[in-house]
Amino acid sequence: MTTGRVAIVDLGLGNLHSVAKAFERAGANAELSSDPDVLLRADRLVMPGQGAFKECAHALAGEIGEAVRSWIDSGRPYLGICLGMQVLFESSDEAPGEKGLGVFSGSVKRFATDLRDAEGGRLKVPHIGWNQIESTHPVFENEEWYYFVHSYYCVPDDESLVVATTDYGAPFCSAIARDNVLACQFHPEKSQHAGARLIGHFLGDVSWS
Amino acid sequence: MLAKRIIPCLDVKDGRVVKGVNFVGLRDAGDPVESAQRYSAGGADEITFLDITASHENRRTLFDLVDQTASTVAVPLTVGGGVRERRDVSELLHAGADKVSINSAAVANPTFIRDMAEAYGAQAIVVAIDAKRIPGETDKWTVYTHGGRRDTGLDAIAWAKRMADYGAGEILLTSMDRDGTQDGYDLVLTRAVVDAISIPVIASGGVGTLAHVRDGFAAGGADAALAASIFHDGHYTVAEVKEYLLDQGVCVRPPERN
């Protein structure tokens, strides 16, 4: 597969080896970087989950954030994972007052602590483990299983951004897509075959709007 | 719906998988990286390495194993054993572990858990509790450390609550009485801890049959089932365990047929 160069945004807030390894397994030439020039020279950009919303927002307040915004404006492929999805929005319950990139309008909410499953069982927060997505979008297969680790989820103002939902007490937005931007709450790098398929789609020539 | 997780556990000593009964009488059970790859291909939801290497010099061997496993296995990897200070946590995470499991060091210094959860996120910090029933009691257990050799006198339920309050992401709960016996999980212990805390509980110690795994979820209320010998000895594959659980109405991620 010729995928060009994949730059993985490294904000210095977490261990990104598993993300890099997942792209290498998919045949990509992947590079971790915090240098805006390096990021902007790549062919595809990946923003993995790292740190908490506050630290992530602070790290993106400077020139890296500008680089990411201009990347997205340029129409080249962007994949956001977990917090890399959440920071595309304006704000988060996790860090009131902190600003996300604001690429999309909407916010990030915390799961309620009194969630119950269909049988009345208490649901725990964080939502940790494998859960299914419901999607009719071409980059996903309906009812695929993905690995999740999170306490917060995105609530876009524009519901047409949502391309996958997952049930945890109630359906929440587990993936969005618009033009060149694809972002998911789950971790494709930890989701075995399903994750490898999604990364393959991202590296391919699929348009995901 | 969130699936119940099946987690094969590999006890690792000097770079090899070993298995014993009640933490003694160890025998060789294979190569950890190959085992992890096989379990992952069979549908394991996560892999856990518990390092019981005694010498500090052989620690490098573990990091290499973690790196090789994380490079080739695309499910979460938890590594525990001998994690005493921040550097241990950081080195394991950098080698490719997704979560680090901490046992004795949490008892020695409970705020270590709070510090590590703040530094690396609660999702990366698993507190391992080795619990043993107090002789003559039906519903009281104390916490053991140092590979099951030292009774701390701490009440296991109260300790689990405290660790959850300190920011642990999950509790890995091992019944010392059942570990290696193949008599099934201590369901009373598992249920007591599950009901006491609001973070996920991984049941461990005692699985010998498929029904034991089901009981850990159904009666014990566990979020995940950790098992070692039923997989290493070739009694069951992960796929067989999952097919059985699906038949029994337990929600698990079905094994992929690739």
Side-chain angles (χ1 to χ4, degrees), chain A residues 42-107:
Chain A
D43 300 295
R44 287 159 211 276
L45 194 69
V46 178
M47 173 83 83
Q50 39 196 322
F53 193 91
K54 182 180 174 184
E55 290 77 44
C56 193
H58 283 186
L60 288 170
E63 55 178 0
I64 300 184
E66 278 311 307
V68 172
R69 266 201 213 87
S70 72
W71 174 279
I72 290 174
D73 288 344
S74 76
R76 287 176 289 171
Y78 173 97
L79 175 65
I81 299 171
C82 194
L83 204 57
M85 172 188 189
Q86 297 178 3
V87 291
L88 293 173
F89 292 87
E90 295 160 311
S91 64
S92 172
D93 280 357
E94 188 179 5
E98 300 290 340
K99 284 189 167 53
L101 291 170
V103 172
F104 300 118
S105 58
S107 61

Side-chain angles (χ1 to χ4, degrees), chain A residues 15 21 25 124 130 190 192, chain B residues 3 40 71 74 93 98 223:
Chain A
N15 172 20
K21 283 168 177 167
R25 279 196 299 272
K124 300 174 177 185
W130 295 80
K190 288 289 144 196
Q192 221 190 359
Chain B
S40 163
S71 299
L93 292 176
D98 297 288
D223 298 279

Side-chain angles (χ1 to χ4, degrees), chain B residues 146-157:
Chain B
H146 298 83
R149 293 187 301 275
R150 194 176 297 174
D151 184 0
T152 64
L154 291 165
D155 176 74
I157 311 298

Side-chain angles (χ1 to χ4, degrees), chain B:
Chain B
M1 186 173 172
L2 184 65
K4 300 289 190 182
R5 288 171 276 158
I6 301 295
I7 309 177
C9 176
L10 304 162
D11 289 344
V12 176
K13 186 170 193 292
D14 302 326
R16 297 289 292 175
V17 181
V18 292
K19 189 57 197 169
V21 175
N22 295 89
F23 293 125
V24 292
L26 300 173
R27 57 195 163 77
D28 190 282
D31 175 67
V33 181
E34 281 174 18
S35 299
Q37 288 167 348
R38 189 173 65 248
Y39 293 142
S40 163
D45 297 307
E46 297 183 24
I47 304 288
T48 291
F49 283 173
L50 179 63
D51 184 52
I52 55 174
T53 303
S55 70
H56 222 71
E57 302 82 73
N58 280 339
R59 201 73 180 158
R60 187 54 48 192
T61 311
L62 176 70
F63 297 147
D64 291 343
L65 286 179
V66 170
D67 180 62
Q68 287 172 46
T69 305
S71 299
T72 53
V73 171
V75 298
L77 175 65
T78 302
V79 184
V83 177
R84 307 200 191 292
E85 51 188 275
R86 183 178 180 133
R87 202 184 71 174
D88 298 324
V89 176
S90 147
E91 285 183 333
L92 285 171
L93 292 176
H94 275 96
D98 297 288
K99 313 179 194 184
V100 171
S101 162
I102 303 170
N103 185 338
S104 303
V107 173
N109 176 17
T111 56
F112 181 53
I113 297 304
R114 179 174 287 158
D115 295 343
M116 291 305 92
E118 277 175 12
Y120 300 105
Q123 85 290 337
I125 305 302
V126 178
V127 171
I129 300 179
D130 290 342
K132 192 174 165 87
R133 198 179 294 255
I134 299 172
E137 299 276 358
T138 55
D139 59 354
K140 286 206 186 315
W141 301 263
T142 53
V143 176
Y144 279 66
T145 57
H146 298 83
R149 293 187 301 275
R150 194 176 297 174
D151 184 0
T152 64
L154 291 165
D155 176 74
I157 311 298
W159 178 243
K161 276 190 206 169
R162 188 165 172 210
M163 288 294 93
D165 288 345
Y166 275 43
E170 295 176 272
I171 298 291
L172 167 54
L173 178 67
T174 301
S175 162
M176 299 279 307
D177 304 291
R178 298 298 179 87
D179 192 54
T181 65
Q182 310 206 354
D183 289 338
Y185 294 120
D186 184 334
L187 298 174
V188 182
L189 168 66
T190 307
R191 174 52 76 179
V193 173
V194 166
D195 287 347
I197 61 177
S198 61
I199 57 173
V201 175
I202 304 161
S204 159
V207 168
T209 69
L210 297 176
H212 290 157
V213 182
R214 177 201 60 203
D215 294 345
F217 294 132
D223 298 279
L226 185 125
S229 58
I230 63 161
F231 297 128
H232 308 329
D233 295 345
H235 294 165
Y236 300 104
T237 65
V238 176
E240 284 167 346
V241 172
K242 288 195 153 183
E243 298 289 358
Y244 169 83
L245 291 169
L246 287 168
D247 259 7
Q248 296 283 312
V250 178
C251 177
V252 292
R253 179 177 65 110
E256 289 207 25
R257 292 174 187 85
N258 269 28

Side-chain angles (χ1 to χ4, degrees), chain A residues 16 38 57 118 140 149 161 175 177 182 185 190:
Chain A
L16 306 180
V38 172
F140 298 110
V149 184
L161 277 174
L182 177 64
Q185 183 56 62
K190 288 289 144 196

